[in-house]
Amino acid sequence: MTEETHANLYRREMDVELQYKENKDSLYVNNVLKTSINWNESFANTILNGTNTRQAVEPRKRHLRDEFSVIKKFRNNKSMDVNASFDYLYLPGKLLTLSDSVPQSLNVNTLSSLISTRFRHRVWGMYISYDAQMKYHRDDIEHNDHDKVSYQQAELKLTPRMSMEKNGLRLSCSLPVYVSSYRLAGAKEHQAFVSPYVSLDYQCSGYLSLLFNYSHQKSCYGVGNCLPLAYYRSYATRIEGNGKLCFISYDNVDGKLEYSNPNIGLFFNARGSYTLINDVPLFGYRYENNIYSIVATPQKANNRQVLASAELSKAFGYGKLTMTIGADAMRHDYKAWISEQVADGYVDNYSAKFQVAFIPTPLFSLEGKSTFHESKYTNKTFRSLSSSPLRSFKHNLTMNFMPGNFLFAWTHELYHSNDHSVSHTYFSDLKCTYTHKRYEISFMANNIFGSKKYKRNVVYSSTIQYTVNSLRPREFMLEVSFSL
């Protein structure tokens, strides 16, 4: 698949904002009214697989939003908040697609409203608050002037919160309770669930601290992928939904240990997290006649992600020399719909870094950083789809020379990897700055003798893929700034 595009984008927008504000010792009132309108459009000519194709997009957005908030303070650390908002969005759009010379028309009306109140007080050294929130959202979608779909969501949320701090221990937790009603294309569904959150922060000593968080969330999956319509997102990509609502849940646990001792110049932190995502909908993919289709399926899966990281820094000579090493590791297990069946796969990512900063004199400093990254995809169901480990290296070196009011900075960047189909890249930038009282003059020479193109050449069994991307231009710039 070859594609070459030349495009023009036109922006014509107008924004208006009106605000009323009142701020007193016991009363705060704020109301903001915003409206915006645009006449944006873009045009492009694309050579797709040797065929000249015209693209055109005309999104004409209209937006009206009002936000109101009031805070009333009472005696004995008591207060009450009331917040309300109204949001209306109209997005008529036309999109020229590959399948038809007649542009696709997709008009979306969105209405959202929210009102919430909060009461806060203090009991036995603990701050306790109660939140109540009512939310309504509606989308009306009209496709090509004849297919109409409506989505509605009404939600009631009650949230008790508690926080306390004592002897270096900070504890906060909340227990939101949701009662929601959903409608999509005439189908109804009701949901009731809770989303607990707990955060624990303990300062063990002046140097050592521990942090722990747990949260559970549940939400409706993006409606745009579930609509009972087949519509285009771009001139060559289309979505085929099945009209069924999906609800996914997140469980996340993470913790952090941090040690900081500036007296000896030693700093260390380590962090780990585990995330479980349940009931993720699976999508199938189809490529026909240069059109890429994303098709909703009734299949669902559970995904997991594990992340661990650590970093150690040491300063020598009162900060004249600082060295840092760090590493990250992540595994993401997930499922995909391939060849009409559920395929198990996972992605492993590893990275490491080394940084050094050296300031021998006030006139000169040296900063360097090297990073290593490895990525590998493994498909346990279809072994032929697994990839070999891709290892890449990136090195940065910056030298600063600072005589008087001048600053000379020379930066070098080098990138290379074990992917022999990708060319090595190197950049060298030079910057000179002169500062005097109220004005500053800077001269920059970017990529003065580095790589200008990124090339990739991959040979498959039946095809050859050759890609050339233009990188940083070789440019010179003069900048003058001053204050009156």
Side-chain angles (χ1 to χ4, degrees):
M1 180 178 179
T2 60
E3 184 178 20
E4 182 178 347
T5 302
H6 301 277
N8 293 310
L9 172 64
Y10 300 92
R11 294 183 59 186
R12 296 179 288 266
E13 303 175 352
M14 180 181 70
D15 299 307
V16 178
E17 179 176 323
L18 180 65
Q19 181 180 28
Y20 170 79
K21 191 173 184 179
E22 181 178 349
N23 193 358
K24 297 181 179 179
D25 292 339
S26 59
L27 181 65
Y28 172 82
V29 179
N30 186 35
N31 189 80
V32 180
L33 177 65
K34 300 179 181 179
T35 182
S36 64
I37 186 172
N38 71 50
W39 301 268
N40 296 336
E41 56 190 350
S42 59
F43 304 95
N45 283 318
T46 297
I47 301 177
L48 180 63
N49 291 337
T51 303
N52 188 21
T53 303
R54 173 113 174 127
Q55 299 178 54
V57 183
E58 295 182 9
R60 303 298 170 91
K61 185 178 178 181
R62 313 287 189 270
H63 191 198
L64 177 65
R65 179 175 180 83
D66 185 79
E67 298 176 339
F68 172 79
S69 62
V70 57
I71 302 175
K72 177 65 177 177
K73 295 182 179 179
F74 304 98
R75 296 180 179 178
N76 301 323
N77 293 319
K78 297 179 180 179
S79 65
M80 184 177 69
D81 305 0
V82 177
N83 299 279
S85 65
F86 169 87
D87 204 346
Y88 173 73
L89 174 65
Y90 176 52
L91 183 60
K94 290 184 179 180
L95 175 66
L96 191 62
T97 67
L98 280 177
S99 64
D100 198 343
S101 60
V102 178
Q104 171 188 261
S105 175
L106 189 66
N107 301 328
V108 181
N109 282 277
T110 298
L111 176 65
S112 299
S113 61
L114 182 147
I115 183 170
S116 64
T117 182
R118 181 185 185 189
F119 179 72
R120 183 173 181 263
H121 64 109
R122 187 174 182 179
V123 177
W124 299 331
M126 298 183 297
Y127 288 98
I128 301 176
S129 65
Y130 312 91
D131 296 7
Q133 177 180 291
M134 294 182 63
K135 178 182 178 181
Y136 176 78
H137 180 88
R138 180 186 178 99
D139 291 324
D140 291 308
I141 299 104
E142 184 180 31
H143 181 242
N144 290 342
D145 300 324
H146 57 83
D147 293 329
K148 297 182 179 180
V149 178
S150 177
Y151 167 76
Q152 299 180 57
Q153 176 186 349
E155 180 181 278
L156 174 63
K157 177 183 175 184
L158 300 174
T159 308
R161 287 188 174 90
M162 185 272 288
S163 63
M164 62 170 290
E165 181 176 353
K166 188 175 183 180
N167 299 328
L169 176 66
R170 296 179 182 177
L171 173 65
S172 63
C173 58
S174 64
L175 190 66
V177 180
Y178 297 81
V179 178
S180 304
S181 175
Y182 303 86
R183 293 187 181 186
L184 177 62
K188 300 180 182 179
E189 186 158 350
H190 304 284
Q191 291 279 332
F193 52 89
V194 296
S195 296
Y197 169 79
V198 178
S199 177
L200 180 66
D201 187 356
Y202 181 53
Q203 190 72 33
C204 306
S205 66
Y207 305 124
L208 184 65
S209 64
L210 297 173
L211 176 66
F212 170 82
N213 294 308
Y214 168 75
S215 64
H216 172 83
Q217 296 179 351
K218 187 174 182 179
S219 61
C220 181
Y221 192 75
V223 178
N225 293 323
C226 301
L227 295 175
L229 294 174
Y231 65 97
Y232 283 83
R233 279 190 174 178
S234 69
Y235 83 108
T237 304
R238 72 180 221 153
I239 306 293
E240 296 181 15
N242 55 14
K244 296 182 179 180
L245 290 170
C246 298
F247 299 88
I248 60 177
S249 63
Y250 301 83
D251 287 280
N252 177 260
V253 179
D254 69 88
K256 182 179 181 181
L257 182 147
E258 187 171 14
Y259 177 83
S260 176
N261 191 338
N263 294 329
I264 59 175
L266 183 63
F267 307 89
F268 173 77
N269 69 78
R271 188 159 196 164
S273 69
Y274 174 82
T275 303
L276 174 63
I277 310 175
N278 294 309
D279 300 325
V280 180
L282 299 182
F283 294 87
Y285 304 93
R286 185 175 65 247
Y287 181 72
E288 295 176 349
N289 299 323
N290 293 330
I291 297 175
Y292 187 69
S293 298
I294 304 173
V295 184
T297 72
Q299 303 295 326
K300 296 182 180 180
N302 298 333
N303 299 338
R304 295 175 178 83
Q305 180 175 291
V306 180
L307 173 66
S309 64
E311 183 178 282
L312 175 66
S313 297
K314 176 64 173 135
F316 303 89
Y318 300 99
K320 289 186 177 182
L321 175 63
T322 303
M323 303 176 69
T324 302
I325 57 174
D328 299 273
M330 185 195 75
R331 166 164 287 194
H332 184 196
D333 291 283
Y334 67 95
K335 295 178 174 59
W337 185 252
I338 302 175
S339 299
E340 303 301 319
Q341 63 176 301
V342 177
D344 289 315
Y346 60 89
V347 176
D348 288 325
N349 285 292
Y350 306 98
S351 64
K353 69 176 182 179
F354 173 74
Q355 289 178 265
V356 59
F358 182 48
I359 311 176
T361 70
L363 297 177
F364 177 75
S365 68
L366 182 70
E367 299 175 12
K369 181 179 179 181
S370 291
T371 58
F372 162 76
H373 181 79
E374 178 179 309
S375 179
K376 181 182 180 181
Y377 167 69
T378 302
N379 192 307
K380 295 186 289 185
T381 305
F382 300 96
R383 291 291 179 178
S384 60
L385 299 179
S386 300
S387 66
S388 301
L390 176 63
R391 302 181 181 94
S392 61
F393 299 84
K394 185 178 180 181
H395 312 280
N396 297 72
L397 179 64
T398 302
M399 294 177 287
N400 299 301
F401 183 54
M402 299 159 285
N405 295 337
F406 286 91
L407 168 62
F408 297 92
W410 195 5
T411 302
H412 306 267
E413 294 183 39
L414 174 65
Y415 170 86
H416 60 97
S417 71
N418 67 337
D419 187 352
H420 301 294
S421 65
V422 177
S423 58
H424 296 287
T425 54
Y426 168 73
F427 305 103
S428 181
D429 301 334
L430 182 64
K431 182 177 181 180
C432 175
T433 302
Y434 176 77
T435 305
H436 181 73
K437 294 183 179 179
R438 295 186 177 182
Y439 67 88
E440 183 177 276
I441 302 175
S442 297
F443 173 75
M444 290 162 282
N446 295 325
N447 199 14
I448 51 180
F449 47 83
S451 305
K452 297 180 65 177
K453 292 183 178 180
Y454 173 86
K455 300 178 181 179
R456 180 179 174 88
N457 187 21
V458 183
V459 179
Y460 299 98
S461 59
S462 59
T463 60
I464 298 176
Q465 184 184 51
Y466 181 68
T467 306
V468 178
N469 294 318
S470 298
L471 298 176
R472 303 182 193 176
R474 194 153 293 155
E475 62 182 6
F476 302 92
M477 183 181 300
L478 180 65
E479 182 182 276
V480 179
S481 58
F482 58 90
S483 61
L484 300 177

